[in-house]
Amino acid sequence: MTADQFLDSRAVAVHETWGQAVPGKVKFFTSETSGGPRDLPIVRLRGVTDQYPPQKKSFMMLKHMYENYIDKYEWFMRADDDVYIRMDRLRKFLRGINSSQPMFIGQAGLGNTEEFGRLSLNSKDNYCMGGPGIVMSRTTLALVYPHIRTCLANLYTTHEDVEIGRCVKKYAGVSCLWNYEMREIFYHDQKGTEAFSGSLKYRHILAAMTLHPIKVPTLLYKLHNFFLSQQVQEEQRHKVERYRQVVRSTPPEQQSELSPLTRRLGSPPMLSKLPVTEPEQAVAWSHIGSHFMLHSEKTMDPRVYAAFHLREGVRDATSSLMDYMLSFSQERGRSLSLQELNYGYHRVDPLNGVDMVLDLVLKYIRFRGKRVVQTVRRHAYLQQAFGMPEARSVPRQDSSIVVNVVVAVSGKVKQFQRFCDNLERVGLDGIRVIFVFHENAVPEDVRNATVARLQAMQTRYANAISIVPSSRPFDRASSLMLGASLLTDDDLILFMDVDVLFDHDAVDAVRQSVIKGKQVYFPVVFSQYDPATLQPDEVPADTPPVDERRGKFRYYGFGIAALFRADLKEVGGLNQEIHGWGKEDVDFVDRVLKHPRNYTLMRSAEPGMVHVHHPIVCASDLPADQTVMCKGTLNSFAASQPHLAWQVCRDDRVLQFARSLPKKELKPRTKASGH
């Protein structure tokens, strides 16, 4: 069931996601006067409007299904355009039910608190809630069909799902399946428009067959990709188990004849799989504490929050482990639930895979015999094997595409001269540079020097240099948008800063990473530390510019961006209402991610782009959130961690302060759970 206003959005998303996997036919029922895309299987119901509540539409859908398909299908499902249905689960679910019996299946409802007792339902009656979907057998539809007009003429409420339930009960003699598990199978999220917008790795989502409501069409694609990835992971697990069966069934003396991949994936999981004959061959373990605090040899920080991929990996591992343990729980009369991760160890062997040792706190319930509820701890040893490397060929973009570099110039004469020197050193083959010059923002002598250099470059590179004078106060977002306004929708834009030096490889990476209408590129720039903090002998002269002693890649920076102008217009451009240091880049990437077109955000470390260090001044009148960002960047690039540690350790004041601290007796740490 849909309406004219949703045919180009929700209905299309349904048709392109789970609608492709329907083991039968999918139709979109709407009003008689609706439009909609031509390739969408739309049924425009005669005499039906999109007026709410859609009671007539709902009953006419049943009438159409009976008159056209009653002899062709065993099951009929009525769904809204804001639901996601896992067709593999629905197929498996319905195969175990006799469709020749009157069946009415969904999440049973009695109305909300205000409506309870006011829906004219008998004491033992209910209805199937329409949102998560309603399934009825061929027999049920056949029994209801002759009475559709009668049911439609005798409505007691404004709820179409309540009235369908009343009609089915009266003429088919069945109520909605009254089973608590239906609440999990036909899942309705109470968060409304915010439903399914966050992480999807929750047990109630993984256990569901239908998920409702999904008001934002892009979330349908998100769910679809998530469940497809779950299917891929399940296939990978089956694949590994088959390799292990091969190894187990092969005599030890013949296992050397197996392929390297079979031996690698088929060997049983064990912590001693990695052969170590020399100390330097050992792969160090990282410690994962509570709340995912990480202690690792790879970082100077004594405590650092684990990276996103590691947190997700641990959650996936514990989720798979709990599924495995719960698969035997029912017949053993017990139940287990994960309370928390107490601590863990993690390492990655590049050849063999990922090892984890997890200390889990579980809630144990024994419901067979004498009931027992207690908290227990268990160690889990997990191993994820790596397969063979796979190579994918990606078609290269046209190397003749011109990259239009847009950069704002305001007062930084030294940085501007360095930027121009770099341009002339790199060359402007396949590059066009648009300088947005704020004339009134600089003193006269600086203005004259800047104008002279710009005019000289424009004379030398007539077709590659454009100058856009601006009399407005300097504002990065407005300046870049002014430069972009000179371009056409088919032009490729690279928003650049005057403090960033780039080479031709970086420009070529921009060409290969941007896809019109699909993909936007935010390169991860290498940012230098304050060179004044470096000791003379700390970094040798022949050290390359990209070195961990000189700086680090700024993964949280999005100021350098590349996209086609048509896509810049599609997402609304840079926010010109944001003034002062920062935030306009974070706002921009946020809108790219949330845009209904579902753009791919491409990121990669780009060694060909180096942000030269310069002093940062955080203005006192900045809003609070921009002040936090500004000071965070200022502190992050003061110096490297080893240098800061060296400075602290050589400071006598720090040592005196440490000696002055009172000595406290260490006491055993206890927890409320008693372990």
Side-chain angles (χ1 to χ4, degrees):
M1 179 190 295
T2 187
D4 185 45
Q5 61 178 319
F6 300 124
L7 285 172
D8 291 311
S9 53
R10 293 183 190 172
V12 170
V14 167
H15 187 57
E16 292 180 347
T17 55
W18 63 263
Q20 298 293 317
V22 174
K25 191 179 293 291
V26 60
K27 294 285 187 180
F28 293 88
F29 291 85
T30 183
S31 62
E32 184 177 9
T33 58
S34 291
R38 291 184 178 182
D39 57 343
L40 208 63
I42 299 173
V43 177
R44 298 173 179 84
L45 296 166
R46 183 178 301 176
V48 172
T49 67
D50 286 332
Q51 183 179 357
Y52 194 86
Q55 292 172 318
K56 185 176 182 181
K57 182 187 292 183
S58 189
F59 277 103
M60 290 301 102
M61 285 169 59
L62 300 182
K63 180 175 181 293
H64 179 93
M65 286 192 284
Y66 176 87
E67 292 175 348
N68 292 274
Y69 304 110
I70 191 63
D71 294 328
K72 298 178 181 178
Y73 297 100
E74 295 180 66
W75 295 98
F76 298 85
M77 185 172 190
R78 164 245 183 273
D80 286 351
D81 57 10
D82 60 350
V83 68
Y84 185 92
I85 303 175
R86 300 181 65 181
M87 279 298 158
D88 55 334
R89 296 226 171 154
L90 179 63
R91 185 189 300 112
K92 184 178 179 181
F93 175 76
L94 293 179
R95 278 178 177 169
I97 304 175
N98 187 355
S99 63
S100 64
Q101 298 293 322
M103 300 298 296
F104 192 46
I105 305 170
Q107 184 183 146
L110 294 172
N112 57 33
T113 305
E114 293 77 16
E115 296 170 333
F116 188 74
R118 300 181 180 181
L119 299 177
S120 301
L121 297 173
N122 294 326
S123 59
K124 295 184 179 181
D125 289 349
N126 61 17
Y127 64 95
C128 285
M129 294 171 56
I134 300 172
V135 180
M136 60 179 66
S137 63
R138 175 195 296 166
T139 304
T140 301
L141 182 59
L143 291 171
V144 169
Y145 169 72
H147 310 283
I148 284 178
R149 293 289 183 184
T150 303
C151 294
L152 193 55
N154 295 275
L155 303 175
Y156 290 78
T157 69
T158 58
H159 301 295
E160 49 89 19
D161 50 3
V162 173
E163 298 306 322
I164 287 180
R166 193 191 319 280
C167 192
V168 169
K169 174 63 176 177
K170 184 173 182 179
Y171 296 107
V174 291
S175 297
C176 190
L177 277 184
W178 198 263
N179 191 313
Y180 184 79
E181 289 181 349
M182 292 296 110
R183 296 173 60 89
E184 298 180 355
I185 297 175
F186 294 84
Y187 180 70
H188 173 78
D189 196 313
Q190 301 294 336
K191 293 195 289 290
T193 55
E194 297 297 319
F196 313 111
S197 58
S199 174
L200 301 176
K201 292 180 179 178
Y202 292 103
R203 189 162 188 83
H204 59 270
I205 293 179
L206 294 171
M209 186 169 67
T210 72
L211 300 101
H212 175 267
I214 306 164
K215 301 298 184 184
V216 182
T218 52
L219 292 181
L220 271 168
Y221 296 98
K222 174 184 175 181
L223 277 166
H224 191 59
N225 290 335
F226 173 72
F227 287 123
L228 286 178
S229 71
Q230 292 295 304
Q231 291 179 22
V232 170
Q233 290 181 29
E234 190 63 30
E235 286 297 321
Q236 295 283 20
R237 283 194 285 269
H238 291 323
K239 190 175 181 180
V240 169
E241 184 54 37
R242 288 194 291 270
Y243 278 114
R244 288 176 178 169
Q245 289 175 357
V246 171
V247 172
R248 284 197 298 266
S249 61
T250 303
E253 63 274 10
Q254 298 179 10
Q255 289 187 4
S256 60
E257 301 175 8
L258 299 174
S259 68
L261 178 62
T262 302
R263 292 199 303 271
R264 179 184 301 171
L265 295 181
S267 59
M270 60 181 69
L271 294 180
S272 60
K273 180 185 290 187
L274 176 61
V276 177
T277 57
E278 301 293 336
E280 57 270 15
Q281 293 176 341
V283 179
W285 292 84
S286 298
H287 178 268
I288 306 169
S290 59
H291 306 294
F292 286 102
M293 299 306 298
L294 186 70
H295 306 77
S296 171
E297 66 161 6
K298 297 180 180 178
T299 175
M300 292 290 294
D301 290 338
R303 297 180 71 196
V304 63
Y305 199 45
F308 176 79
H309 68 272
L310 179 55
R311 301 198 304 271
E312 288 295 290
V314 173
R315 291 191 182 105
D316 286 347
T318 52
S319 176
S320 298
L321 179 66
M322 293 305 299
D323 288 342
Y324 173 75
M325 291 193 292
L326 288 171
S327 62
F328 305 104
S329 62
Q330 290 294 330
E331 57 266 29
R332 295 178 181 177
R334 69 179 191 185
S335 174
L336 286 170
S337 60
L338 178 65
Q339 298 290 91
E340 64 172 329
L341 170 67
N342 199 27
Y343 68 86
Y345 291 95
H346 166 268
R347 70 177 180 183
V348 179
D349 171 34
L351 292 179
N352 293 292
V354 182
D355 294 330
M356 287 186 192
V357 180
L358 304 178
D359 185 88
L360 305 175
V361 181
L362 307 173
K363 184 177 182 180
Y364 171 82
I365 301 176
R366 188 176 69 192
F367 49 81
R368 183 176 296 170
K370 184 179 179 181
R371 180 177 173 84
V372 175
V373 180
Q374 63 185 34
T375 301
V376 297
R377 286 174 60 185
R378 289 290 182 269
H379 272 175
Y381 303 89
L382 303 102
Q383 195 165 63
Q384 183 177 22
F386 288 155
M388 296 300 288
E390 294 183 8
R392 296 183 182 180
S393 60
V394 180
R396 289 183 62 82
Q397 299 276 42
D398 186 357
S399 59
S400 64
I401 295 177
V402 175
V403 176
N404 296 272
V405 180
V406 181
V407 61
V409 181
S410 174
K412 295 182 177 181
V413 62
K414 210 183 269 189
Q415 292 90 329
F416 168 70
Q417 296 287 358
R418 183 181 60 213
F419 184 85
C420 292
D421 291 342
N422 182 71
L423 276 179
E424 298 202 61
R425 185 167 53 251
V426 171
L428 294 177
D429 183 27
I431 302 174
R432 178 189 177 192
V433 184
I434 300 174
F435 289 101
V436 180
F437 179 48
H438 291 263
E439 302 171 304
N440 300 335
V442 294
E444 184 176 357
D445 57 335
V446 174
R447 181 168 63 247
N448 292 338
T450 305
V451 170
R453 182 65 186 268
L454 284 173
Q455 290 176 343
M457 290 191 67
Q458 194 172 35
T459 302
R460 188 177 305 173
Y461 307 102
N463 297 323
I465 300 291
S466 297
I467 304 171
V468 183
S470 175
S471 58
R472 294 182 297 184
F474 174 74
D475 183 80
R476 185 175 186 273
S478 300
S479 301
L480 296 180
M481 289 301 296
L482 178 60
S485 66
L486 300 183
L487 304 172
T488 68
D489 287 353
D490 294 326
D491 285 330
L492 176 57
I493 302 174
L494 172 61
F495 287 140
M496 183 57 65
D497 280 349
V498 74
D499 299 301
V500 176
L501 305 181
F502 60 91
D503 58 22
H504 246 296
D505 288 339
V507 175
D508 192 52
V510 168
R511 289 192 187 92
Q512 304 308 319
S513 302
V514 180
I515 303 175
K516 186 177 180 181
K518 295 183 178 180
Q519 187 162 288
V520 180
Y521 182 43
F522 291 88
V524 181
V525 177
F526 185 82
S527 292
Q528 293 181 345
Y529 297 128
D530 185 352
T533 63
L534 297 176
Q535 299 302 310
D537 58 345
E538 188 174 347
V539 183
D542 58 348
T543 304
V546 178
D547 183 273
E548 62 181 7
R549 291 166 293 186
R550 292 188 186 275
K552 61 183 178 182
F553 285 100
R554 191 184 298 193
Y555 288 97
Y556 53 83
F558 300 93
I560 311 303
L563 72 170
F564 281 88
R565 185 171 182 267
D567 298 318
L568 179 67
K569 289 167 59 178
E570 181 69 28
V571 299
L574 298 173
N575 189 344
Q576 301 181 52
E577 300 299 319
I578 298 176
H579 306 289
W581 191 95
K583 195 182 176 182
E584 84 287 336
D585 57 338
V586 178
D587 174 84
F588 180 61
V589 75
D590 191 50
R591 282 187 287 120
V592 171
L593 284 170
K594 293 181 179 179
H595 194 273
R597 184 168 283 186
N598 203 26
Y599 286 101
T600 298
L601 191 147
M602 175 67 179
R603 301 218 77 193
S604 66
E606 182 46 70
M609 291 185 184
V610 177
H611 183 275
V612 181
H613 183 273
H614 62 86
I616 297 176
V617 179
C618 301
S620 58
D621 58 348
L622 280 177
D625 52 351
Q626 287 176 259
T627 300
V628 170
M629 292 180 182
C630 183
K631 290 185 176 180
T633 301
L634 174 64
N635 295 331
S636 296
F637 292 93
S640 65
Q641 287 180 338
H643 180 82
L644 292 173
W646 176 78
Q647 288 278 21
V648 168
C649 292
R650 68 191 291 269
D651 194 327
D652 291 337
R653 293 171 300 173
V654 175
L655 297 176
Q656 291 173 6
F657 173 75
R659 294 191 186 103
S660 68
L661 292 175
K663 304 297 185 292
K664 292 185 179 181
E665 181 183 352
L666 294 177
K667 296 181 179 180
R669 181 177 166 211
T670 60
K671 286 193 175 183
S673 57
H675 61 270

